Each structure stands twice: as C-alpha cells, then as structure tokens.
C-alpha cells in the first residue's frame, strides 16, 4: 500500500537532470523520512524549534526557501507599504494636517477611516474572486474623502489577496507562521510611519514650502515604486499558473504535490455552482462572524486612540506622540511570531485565540474603568497591541479549512474582511467617534468594545471548533450511505 501511494505521488514530478546534484536521492530520502516520522518520535526541542516539517527532504527545503524568499518577501513588502499608507493618515492628522487643512475638532479622522472602509468593502470580494482567474502578479501590484475611498478600493485585494496566494503554496502546518510574518510586516509599516513622521517633522518641515505631513505621503509613494516592480518580476502567481523563472519544473510539480498530499488540490470553477459552494459552507459564516467581532472591538483603531490620548495630555511633543504608540507594534511583533508558531506546532488555533482574548479583555477592562493612573493606561494601550495576531490566525485557519475549493477560500477571505469593515463603519461613528477620544464616556465606546472582546475570545476559542466538528460529522454521515450502497 505504501509503495502504491508513493508511486502515485512521484509520477507527476519527474526530476530533471539539472537537479540531480541536489535531489538524486530525493525518492529514497522521502521513503526514509516517512519511515522515521512514524517510528522515531522527535525530541521535544526538535518538535518546537524548526522551520520545516519533520522529515522534509533537502529538495523540499530548497523549494520552501525559494517560496519564503520571493513569495513571502513580496507579500511582506506589499503589506508594509499598505499599512504605511494607512497609518500615515493618523500620524499626519496629529502632526499638523488637522490644523493646516482646517478640519476642526470634530470626527473628521473617523470619516476618513469610514470612506477608506467603504472602498475596501466594495473592492474586496470582487478582486479576490478575480484572483482565481487572473494572474496575481498583474492584479496585486495595481476631494480628501473621495481619495480615501479610491485608496481603500484599490488596496482591497492586498490583505485577503496575498493571504489567498500564501494558502496556495504552503501546507497547513506552515501557514500560521508565514501568515504571522506577513501581517507583522504591516505592523512594521505602522511603526515605521511613526518614526518617519517624527523624523520628517524634525528635518523636512517647511522644505520646498511643504509641511512635514505632506512629505510623509511623498516618501510613501517613493518607497512603493520598487515594491511594485519587484512584484511584477518575481511574484510566482499560484502553483497551477506559475511561470517563475527561479522555480524548476520539478519544483513546480512538487509545489502542487505538497498541497495535493493534504487533500487540498484545487477543485471547482468560477461558474454558477460557486454560489451554492460558498453560501452553504460553514466557513463563510463562522469566520465572517469571527472577523466582524474582531473589528467591532475597534482594536485596529486603538493605535489612533493612543495618539489622540497622548495629544490630549498636553505633555508630549509631536515626535513623542508619533513615536510612543509604536510600542504597540513591538507587542504586536512578539504576538505575531509566537502565536503563529504555537498554532502551527499544536495544530489548533482556538486555544491560542482564547489566550490572546483573555489578555485583550484585561486591556479593555482598564479602558472601560479609565483609572486615574497614567502608567496603568499606558500599559493597557501598549499591551493591546496583541490584538493584531487574530488576523493571521484567522486567515491561516480559512486557508487550511476550505480544502481545495479555491473560490470558496478566496471569497471567504475577502468577504470576512468586507463584512468586518461594513459593521465597524456605523459602530465606529456611534461608539468611537474621534471627537470623543480618548475616554468615549458619552458614547460608552470602551464598554461596548469590552463586550465584543469577550465575545471574540469565546467565539474563536470554542465556537469555530464546535461548528467545524458538527459540519465535518454531518459530511461523514452523508458520505457513509453512498459508500455502503456501492
């Protein structure tokens, strides 16, 4: 039986002569590694501290290295630029843009976020479904409120689209860490935006007759140009459509095999059946609810609230107001790496999500109580940076649970982001209007945020696992009678 399976796996992947030096013994290595994985339990340190799956061959490691170098690097650079752009608005707002453009003391920053979200809602599902038929390397690089809408619309494919392509190449046990690194690049973009604005305020304010906050957007544009060029040349598309010059024929075939071995070979087409496949799936509803709950905590805007609070204290300079909130990014960095690693190792994301939810509950409890202690509130703001690890955990969960249905996976990734953005628009305006920052006493913003944090922790910690088990059990019951009839 083992020989039969092995021969079926090897048939579509003939090894060309140019790889003989690297993989002449690949077949024997794979047989040996499979035997070792069953009979020799690795030491606990080896189980936890390795980048590849146990028993990975030299040729597989070389393939994964290329994917990490080209696919993951572009994904990280692209998301870095996206988050740099998104956070520039907040940093510019507290660094002179509000006064220079005459926005006044109202909720203008909240409205900027709103119009950006509307563009992302409209563009997300459409662009992600388009990725299943259009090569990603062509689609991905592609008044103030109106401008924010356009930016949101054209950036809509960035997060769900890049996560979709990562899911096409990496195994389930590799996804959480890579997704964490990918989203972490956005955190670095947020941090870099603060440092860049602080430096520009100090050295570029007034140069060429432009304010420092205007230079921030100019530098953002300049940094994006090489990333676009890099993506067009080196982005590998998907395993089924790739023409990447740095992948050999054997590596292209092996990339497809790695996904097929997990039962995630691409199935389905972008036809009328896609509606049934999507709307009767448990994934669409379970993950959309999860992402909506995450958005309803307004955790992604806490960085803005942190800056507004520091500004309201009146004791910090503009560079300090831009620099201090980047400490949230440092916390996010640690949680992105650690939670992704733990999720990959234990093969479950629910317990990890619940643990993070408990810490986030403590932070929002502090915000709700709003104690007199500045130190305690400062610590709560900084620790709330842990919220960001939810997005790579949920994205990896979607990629792993949708099997080979590419359209289902693409749509769920995009729809959950669009739904989250849709529900947060009225919620942000009603509960977290920037004019009420930082206490939101009149609108009870932190109280409602705390309620949604608790709901998020319970839903991602236990709810999704329960739904998946019930749905899987139901499918087994449907298949069993058919097998018995045969």
């Amino acid at each position: 039986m083992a020989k039969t399976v092995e021969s079926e796996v090897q048939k579509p992947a003939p090894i060309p002569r140019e790889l003989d030096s690297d993989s002449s013994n690949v077949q024997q290595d794979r047989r040996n590694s499979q035997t070792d994985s069953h009979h020799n339990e690795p030491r606990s340190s080896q189980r936890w501290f390795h980048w590849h799956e146990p028993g990975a061959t030299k040729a597989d490691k070389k393939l994964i290295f290329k994917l990490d170098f080209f696919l993951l690097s572009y994904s990280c650079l692209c998301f870095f630029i996206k988050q740099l752009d998104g956070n520039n608005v907040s940093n510019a707002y507290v660094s002179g843009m509000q006064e220079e453009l005459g926005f006044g003391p109202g909720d203008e920053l909240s409205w900027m976020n709103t119009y950006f979200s509307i563009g992302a809602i409209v563009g997300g599902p459409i662009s992600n479904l388009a990725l299943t038929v259009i090569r990603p390397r062509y689609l991905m690089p592609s008044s103030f409120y109106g401008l924010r809408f356009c930016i949101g619309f054209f950036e809509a494919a960035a997060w769900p689209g890049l996560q979709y392509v990562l899911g096409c190449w990496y195994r389930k046990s590799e996804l959480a860490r890579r997704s964490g690194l990918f989203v972490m690049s956005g955190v670095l973009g947020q941090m870099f935006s603060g440092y860049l604005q602080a430096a520009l305020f100090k050295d570029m304010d007034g140069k060429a007759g432009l304010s420092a906050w205007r230079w921030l957007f100019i530098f953002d544009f300049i940094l994006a140009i090489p990333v676009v060029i890099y993506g067009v040349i080196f982005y590998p598309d998907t395993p089924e459509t790739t023409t990447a010059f740095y992948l050999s024929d054997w590596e292209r075939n092996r990339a497809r095999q790695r996904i097929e071995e997990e039962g995630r070979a691409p199935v389905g087409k972008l036809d009328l059946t896609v509606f049934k496949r999507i709307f009767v799936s448990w994934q669409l509803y379970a993950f959309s609810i999860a992402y909506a709950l995450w958005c309803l905590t307004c955790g992604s805007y806490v960085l803005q609230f942190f800056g507004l609070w520091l500004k309201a204290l009146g004791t910090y300079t503009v560079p300090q107001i831009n620099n201090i909130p980047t400490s949230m990014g440092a916390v996010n960095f640690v949680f992105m790496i650690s939670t992704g690693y733990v999720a990959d190792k234990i093969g479950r994301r629910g317990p990890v999500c619940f643990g993070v939810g408990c810490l986030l509950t403590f932070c929002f409890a502090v915000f709700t109580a709003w104690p007199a202690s500045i130190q305690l509130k400062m610590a709560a703001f900084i620790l709330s940076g842990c919220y960001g690890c939810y997005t790579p955990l949920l994205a990896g969960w979607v990629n792993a649970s949708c099997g080979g249905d590419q359209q289902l996976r693409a749509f769920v990734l995009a729809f959950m982001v669009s739904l989250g953005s849709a529900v947060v628009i009225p919620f942000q305006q009603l509960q977290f209007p920037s004019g009420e920052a930082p206490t939101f006493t009149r609108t009870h913003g932190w109280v409602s945020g705390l309620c949604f944090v608790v709901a998020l922790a319970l839903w991602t910690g236990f709810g999704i696992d329960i739904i998946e088990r019930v749905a899987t059990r139901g499918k087994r019951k449907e298949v069993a009678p058919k097998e018995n009839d045969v």
Side-chain angles (χ1 to χ4, degrees):
M1 181 64 182
K3 290 183 179 180
T4 302
V5 173
E6 180 183 308
S7 63
E8 289 177 355
V9 169
Q10 292 175 359
K11 279 181 181 179
I15 302 175
R17 291 184 178 179
E18 63 265 26
L19 283 181
D20 282 353
S21 60
D22 290 332
S23 53
S24 58
N25 294 321
V26 167
Q27 296 175 4
Q28 184 62 42
D29 286 348
R30 189 173 293 129
R31 283 192 291 267
N32 293 339
S33 66
Q34 289 172 345
T35 301
D36 291 342
S37 65
H38 287 293
H39 298 290
N40 298 323
E41 184 69 19
R43 296 191 302 270
S44 84
S45 61
Q46 290 177 330
R47 280 202 305 269
W48 283 91
F49 300 105
H50 59 76
W51 189 242
H52 306 92
E53 290 185 326
T57 65
K58 183 179 179 181
D60 275 356
K61 289 180 180 179
K62 183 177 179 181
L63 168 62
I64 294 171
F65 171 78
K66 290 183 178 181
L67 294 178
D68 289 341
F69 189 85
F70 291 106
L71 171 63
L72 195 57
S73 66
Y74 171 73
S75 299
C76 290
L77 286 170
C78 183
F79 200 57
F80 174 88
I81 295 296
K82 178 191 180 302
Q83 293 301 95
L84 176 64
D85 163 72
N87 211 60
N88 278 352
V89 174
S90 300
N91 287 324
Y93 191 82
V94 298
S95 302
M97 184 175 73
Q98 178 185 8
E99 293 78 10
E100 188 171 331
L101 296 184
F103 279 124
D107 301 329
E108 285 81 1
L109 182 58
S110 295
W111 280 109
M112 292 179 201
N113 295 330
T114 294
Y115 278 91
F116 179 90
S117 298
I118 293 173
I121 292 167
V122 175
I126 297 172
S127 60
N128 234 37
L129 281 177
L131 282 175
T132 66
V133 293
I134 301 175
R135 287 181 181 274
R137 76 168 183 263
Y138 298 132
L139 186 61
M140 296 305 300
S142 323
S143 144
F144 207 96
Y145 291 148
L147 179 61
R148 290 295 290 167
F149 170 84
C150 293
I151 292 173
F153 183 86
F154 287 106
E155 284 187 2
W159 188 88
L162 291 168
Q163 289 281 14
Y164 166 79
V165 177
L166 290 177
C168 291
W169 290 91
Y170 288 112
R171 289 178 180 267
K172 295 178 183 178
S173 61
E174 300 165 344
L175 274 170
R177 280 170 289 175
R178 271 75 178 186
S179 294
L181 284 172
F182 160 65
V183 179
M184 184 189 69
S185 64
V187 176
L188 296 177
Q190 292 178 333
M191 296 173 65
F192 183 71
S193 176
Y195 296 134
L196 180 60
Q197 179 66 85
L200 291 174
F201 188 87
K202 179 181 178 182
D203 300 323
M204 295 295 291
D205 193 28
K207 293 291 179 68
L210 298 176
S211 303
W213 66 266
R214 297 180 185 273
W215 280 108
L216 186 63
F217 292 103
I218 294 173
F219 272 77
D220 189 9
F221 171 74
I222 294 173
L223 290 171
I225 294 175
V227 177
V228 173
I229 297 173
Y230 178 66
V232 172
I233 298 174
F234 292 100
Y235 203 51
D237 296 321
T238 65
E240 291 71 38
T241 62
T242 185
T243 57
F245 64 89
Y246 49 84
L247 294 177
S248 67
D249 290 338
W250 183 88
E251 287 171 328
R252 292 169 189 162
N253 285 325
R254 180 59 187 148
R256 290 188 284 270
Q257 283 181 359
R258 280 164 35 86
I259 303 303
E260 291 170 2
E261 288 168 0
E262 292 193 320
R264 294 170 55 214
V267 296
K269 297 180 180 180
L270 189 57
D271 54 20
L272 292 179
T273 65
V274 74
F275 295 103
K276 181 179 179 180
R277 286 186 279 124
I278 290 174
F279 291 106
V280 301
S281 69
W282 67 267
Q283 292 93 336
L284 176 65
Y285 304 99
F287 292 110
S288 294
I289 291 173
Y291 202 87
L293 289 173
W294 180 77
C295 288
L296 286 170
T297 68
C298 276
S300 58
Y301 294 121
V302 171
L303 185 68
Q304 294 180 359
F305 305 153
F306 196 1
L308 292 172
W309 174 59
L310 293 173
K311 186 177 182 180
L313 291 175
T315 57
Y316 294 98
T317 65
V318 170
Q320 288 175 323
I321 293 172
N322 284 297
N323 286 336
I324 293 175
T326 61
S327 56
M328 285 181 62
V331 173
N332 216 340
F333 178 93
V334 173
F335 273 82
M336 291 284 186
I337 296 296
S338 60
T339 57
Y341 206 91
V342 172
D344 277 344
K345 294 296 99 183
I346 68 175
R348 295 182 61 199
R349 293 167 175 81
V352 181
C353 289
F354 182 72
V356 177
C358 290
L359 177 58
L360 204 55
T361 299
F362 164 76
C363 296
F364 272 71
V366 172
F367 298 147
T368 300
W370 202 255
S373 172
I374 292 178
Q375 291 78 11
L376 181 57
K377 286 182 286 190
M378 183 79 74
F381 270 115
I382 294 172
L383 287 175
S384 66
C386 67
Y387 78 92
C389 67
Y390 272 102
T391 56
L393 287 171
L394 290 175
W397 210 340
V398 172
N399 277 321
S401 67
C402 287
D405 195 327
Q406 305 298 290
Q407 285 74 37
L408 173 63
R409 188 161 58 86
F411 189 86
V412 171
L413 282 168
F415 182 79
M416 70 182 193
V417 176
S418 291
L419 179 64
S421 300
V423 298
V424 82
I425 287 175
F427 180 71
Q428 179 202 199
Q429 294 292 347
L430 295 173
Q431 304 298 120
F432 287 95
S434 55
E436 297 291 328
T439 59
F440 304 104
T441 303
R442 185 180 63 83
T443 58
H444 306 290
W446 292 124
V447 177
S448 57
L450 175 61
C451 294
F452 284 114
V453 166
V454 173
L456 172 68
L458 295 175
W459 182 256
T460 57
F462 306 100
I464 296 178
D465 277 334
I466 293 173
I467 291 175
E468 184 172 11
R469 284 198 296 269
V470 172
T472 303
R473 192 181 304 125
K475 285 187 177 180
R476 289 200 192 106
K477 290 181 179 178
E478 289 178 5
V479 172
K482 295 180 181 178
E483 292 178 346
N484 293 334
D485 291 342
V486 173

